[in-house]
Amino acid sequence: MNSEDSEENLETLQEYIDWCFDVIVMKKNQNACSPVKSETPSSKRSRPADSPETTSPTGKSFTDILDSIDKRLSSFDARLSLVEILHREFKSLRESLEFSQQQVETLAAENASLRDSVKSLTENVTHLNEENKKIKETVIDLQARSMRDNLVFSGIPESAEEDAEATVKSFIKTYLKLPEDTVENICFERVHRLGAKKPGAPRPRPIVAKFGYFKQKEQVKSRGRELKGTDFSVNDQFPKEILERRKVLFPIRRSLIQKGSRAVIAVDRLYVDGRLYRDVSTTPWLY
């Protein structure tokens, strides 16, 4: 039912109630003032309320009108009850919506706080990673410095009960062709084989020799060209990380030399025509 129908029904109901009120009041006045019925405008249009034949201007009896009024009132009561129920439901929904809005606002605030915390943690992790990288590079550098006076001799056959220092001096005289008196004056702090002995290994274990003097080490190293075409080699000793970096740089150096550039590897850095070679994809440790 729309609002226009409701207003029309209310007007009709009001007319019925007013008419009944007029009839009752007029009857009471007639009983109090005169036993004789007077011809008034109200009496012309209606009969006494206690007469079973009394009818309304619409042609209905008072009983029917009252029943109709009662039904309409009951109908309006039911509608009012429904409106009250709908109002309570609407109020409940509004409270629920307000609560949900508060929850959303709370979650948004918590999310912003968590986002700030994550951002702070990310920055801290980035900073820690940078610090860790610096520390790692410092440790690698210290290891490389501690190996600065070391040479690794590879390919020298092993023998039972061998004297590693005597083996290295014999190798230097025989294969590196240094004078015997020069070799005898070489001072070693320590000479030993690398790793544990493995029976049936295809190649002998390398020998690490720590020289007492850096100049003597460089003198022996400079004779490495005498080993070209043999199964022997003499190289600086480096930490594992630097060895892996040098493996990456050697092919690049070879390619640059073929193109006519002057390329030199110093520890884990490649210099091309006097300038440091930097490439994020091949030399990430420089960034």
Side-chain angles (χ1 to χ4, degrees), residues 67-86:
D67 289 341
S68 176
I69 292 173
D70 183 64
K71 290 180 181 179
R72 295 187 180 212
L73 289 174
S74 299
S75 175
F76 279 113
D77 287 341
R79 292 173 185 172
L80 287 174
S81 298
L82 178 60
V83 169
E84 290 177 357
I85 294 173
L86 292 175

Side-chain angles (χ1 to χ4, degrees), residues 46-222:
S46 63
R47 296 180 181 179
D50 55 353
S51 174
E53 298 300 329
T54 300
T55 60
S56 68
T58 59
K60 295 182 180 180
S61 66
F62 293 148
T63 303
D64 293 338
I65 293 172
L66 292 175
D67 289 341
S68 176
I69 292 173
D70 183 64
K71 290 180 181 179
R72 295 187 180 212
L73 289 174
S74 299
S75 175
F76 279 113
D77 287 341
R79 292 173 185 172
L80 287 174
S81 298
L82 178 60
V83 169
E84 290 177 357
I85 294 173
L86 292 175
H87 177 70
R88 287 196 298 269
E89 291 294 327
F90 175 77
K91 184 178 179 181
S92 176
L93 287 173
R94 184 174 62 186
E95 292 174 351
S96 177
L97 179 61
E98 291 175 352
F99 177 76
S100 298
Q101 183 65 27
Q102 292 177 355
Q103 292 293 100
V104 169
E105 292 175 357
T106 301
L107 289 174
E110 292 178 353
N111 183 52
S113 177
L114 288 173
R115 187 164 53 245
D116 292 340
S117 298
V118 169
K119 181 180 179 181
S120 177
L121 288 174
T122 301
E123 292 175 352
N124 290 337
V125 168
T126 302
H127 178 70
L128 289 175
N129 286 337
E130 293 176 354
E131 291 296 321
N132 182 59
K133 181 180 178 181
K134 291 179 181 178
I135 293 173
K136 183 178 179 180
E137 290 300 318
T138 300
V139 171
I140 293 174
D141 182 66
L142 290 174
Q143 289 177 334
R145 289 178 184 275
S146 69
M147 299 175 179
R148 181 172 178 267
D149 298 327
N150 296 3
L151 282 179
V152 179
F153 296 84
S154 302
I156 301 176
E158 293 188 50
S159 60
E161 305 283 330
E162 74 174 355
D163 181 345
E165 182 175 333
T167 300
V168 168
K169 285 188 174 182
S170 174
F171 177 82
I172 292 173
K173 285 188 295 185
T174 305
Y175 293 95
L176 299 182
K177 299 180 173 57
L178 279 178
E180 185 174 353
D181 57 340
T182 301
V183 175
E184 292 300 326
N185 289 329
I186 293 176
C187 178
F188 292 107
E189 291 188 9
R190 186 181 179 190
V191 182
H192 64 91
R193 293 273 182 179
L194 276 176
K197 187 174 183 179
K198 298 180 181 179
R203 291 179 59 83
R205 292 174 295 165
I207 297 177
V208 177
K210 184 175 181 61
F211 289 76
Y213 300 99
F214 181 75
K215 288 184 177 181
Q216 290 182 343
K217 175 240 181 179
E218 288 297 301
Q219 184 181 23
V220 173
K221 178 185 173 183
S222 66

